[in-house]
Structure formats: structure tokens, C-alpha cells
Amino acid sequence: MKLFKKREIIIPGEGAAMLADSIARIARPSRRAFLQRSLTLGGLTLLTGCSISDQDSIDQALTGISRFNDRIQGLLFDPTRLAPTYPDSMITRPFPFNAYYGEDEIREVDGGDWRLELSGLVAERKPWTLAQLRAMPQQSQITRHICVEGWSVIGKWGGVPFAQFLRHVGADLSAKYVGFKCADDYFTSIDMATALHPQTLMALTYDDQPLPPRYGFPMKLRMPTKLGYKNPKHIQAIFVTNTYPGGYWEDQGYNWFGGS
């Protein structure tokens, strides 16, 4: 998953200019680079009094701003507001592959052997088979996938409404977080309000066909209210917790809430 290209940032003030230049020289998606590029002009100005050689103090300040942004996004999130939907004619074909690894490294999961493990604040923790998930009531949606890189595409997803599944297994709906562990070693977590959003889907199909491996077979979480990196593929385990779980990109500095 390639994120962020170099860009020129022009900011008044010698200290801010030095910091901006430091940001612009970072090509790979690091925690420091992402957070610095996420700041407003006012946020950068606040940092100009710090020595840019003092990485720990800058990182602490940037992390604090990122977590503040997470809290604000959470407060602004409307769990009843639906993301736009589209007609079949607007589906992007082919829908692109996107991950933190190359397409030649897509994980192949045996659907017959696959089991969805449940843990944490869940009453019924028995593993689920793919056949059991397919037997539950299904919904479909044609929604826009928005990548943090700035591009977007429209796709058609079908599967089990996640809120319905969480209620079925007796998850504690007052808990703060739902976390995911995946067969491709990816992991992430979301807030409970997003988990219960009516468009959050345990996707089992794409474009009315069984979910292909390149899109996350046997199951991915599809959330049109979140940026792409918050939508995990090849999910193997789900857990409900009140302890902050982080995530693959989030632990490198990406905003945890990740709203689209």
C-alpha cells in the first residue's frame, strides 16, 4: 500500500520552513511524515518553537494533535447518516487492488477450513464458518471507497450487516472498540458507533460474486464512512474491548478514526 507522494509546502517563518522542508524530503510513509503533513498551518506554527532535532518532543506533540483530531471526528460522527450510494452503471471496473504489499503477495485462504474467531466482550465466542455467515440475512450496497492517497472508486459489496452480527453473538455494544486480525497480518480497530452504522458490512461478495482473494476473501469489513485503510481484508478474528487496540497504520501515526 503506497501512501503519500512528495509535495512542496510553503510556510512563512524560518522555523516553519525548515520543518516543512524536512517533511517534504521524507518519501516513505512514516509516522512522523504522516502526522506532519496532517497539520494545519496553525499547528505547524505552534511547533516552530521546538528544535527539529528533538524528534521525541515533536513526535509527542504531533501524536497529541492526531489523537485530538480522532476525538473531534468521533464527536462529529453521525451514526445515522448514510454515505451516498450509486447505480450499477457507476461501478468502477476493474476495481483496483490496494494493500500494504504487492498483488503477487495476495493471501490465499481456504474457505472450507476458515473459521472466524471471536473474543473479548462477546457472549457467544464459538467460531463461525463461511457457510454460517452466508446463511445469515444479507444486504448489498454500491458505495465509494476513498483512499487516504486521494483517489476513490465505486464498488458493489454484499454481506452481513455488522450490527446485526454483533447483536447476534451478544457483543457488548457499550464497549469502545472492535478490533480485527487478518490472514495477511494486517490489523486495525474501529469505534463501536461505526461498527453499528447501518452501512458497515461483513462483505462476502463483490459485484454479486463470491469475494475474490484480491478483495479480501473470505470476508472483509466494508465501511463507506471510513477511509480505505480502515477496511480490513481476509479477516480471521474479531474482538470487542475497552482497551485501545491501535492498528497496522495507526501505530505508525495514521489517524485512528480515519473517517472519510
Side-chain angles (χ1 to χ4, degrees), residues 13-79:
E14 181 179 354
M18 292 175 63
L19 182 57
D21 182 66
S22 176
I23 296 169
R25 289 198 304 268
I26 301 175
R28 292 187 59 82
S30 67
R31 176 178 184 272
R32 184 179 172 96
F34 178 85
L35 289 173
Q36 288 171 329
R37 295 180 191 195
S38 299
L39 290 175
T40 62
L41 174 61
L44 281 169
T45 302
L46 287 173
L47 291 177
T48 57
C50 301
S51 168
I52 61 171
S53 63
D54 188 356
Q55 181 170 338
D56 288 343
S57 64
I58 291 178
D59 283 350
Q60 288 175 10
L62 293 169
T63 298
I65 292 171
S66 180
R67 296 296 171 251
F68 175 76
N69 288 339
D70 286 337
R71 291 192 294 272
I72 295 301
Q73 288 186 70
L75 291 172
L76 294 176
F77 179 71
D78 183 348

Side-chain angles (χ1 to χ4, degrees), residues 90-204:
M90 293 187 67
I91 295 174
T92 303
R93 295 188 173 94
F95 192 91
F97 167 80
N98 196 36
Y100 73 96
Y101 46 83
E103 196 164 353
D104 59 338
E105 300 176 271
I106 292 174
R107 305 307 195 267
E108 296 289 340
V109 179
D110 187 326
D113 292 337
W114 177 83
R115 298 292 183 273
L116 176 63
E117 304 291 336
L118 303 177
S119 63
L121 303 175
V122 178
E124 299 181 19
R125 300 184 184 179
K126 64 179 181 180
W128 281 69
T129 66
L130 185 54
Q132 287 174 315
L133 285 178
R134 287 173 172 167
M136 292 191 71
Q138 310 282 301
Q139 288 183 2
S140 65
Q141 59 176 254
I142 301 177
T143 50
R144 186 179 297 277
H145 169 103
I146 302 175
C147 182
V148 70
E149 291 178 298
W151 54 266
S152 69
V153 288
I154 294 172
K156 184 176 184 179
W157 309 92
V160 180
F162 194 36
Q164 178 181 328
F165 179 80
L166 290 174
R167 291 186 174 96
H168 185 85
V169 299
D172 181 355
L173 303 184
S174 68
K176 293 181 179 180
Y177 310 107
V178 181
F180 308 89
K181 299 177 182 179
C182 307
D184 59 0
D185 299 323
Y186 195 76
F187 62 102
T188 189
S189 56
I190 60 173
D191 56 298
M192 182 59 76
T194 298
L196 298 177
H197 188 274
Q199 289 175 307
T200 298
L201 201 67
M202 300 170 75
L204 305 173

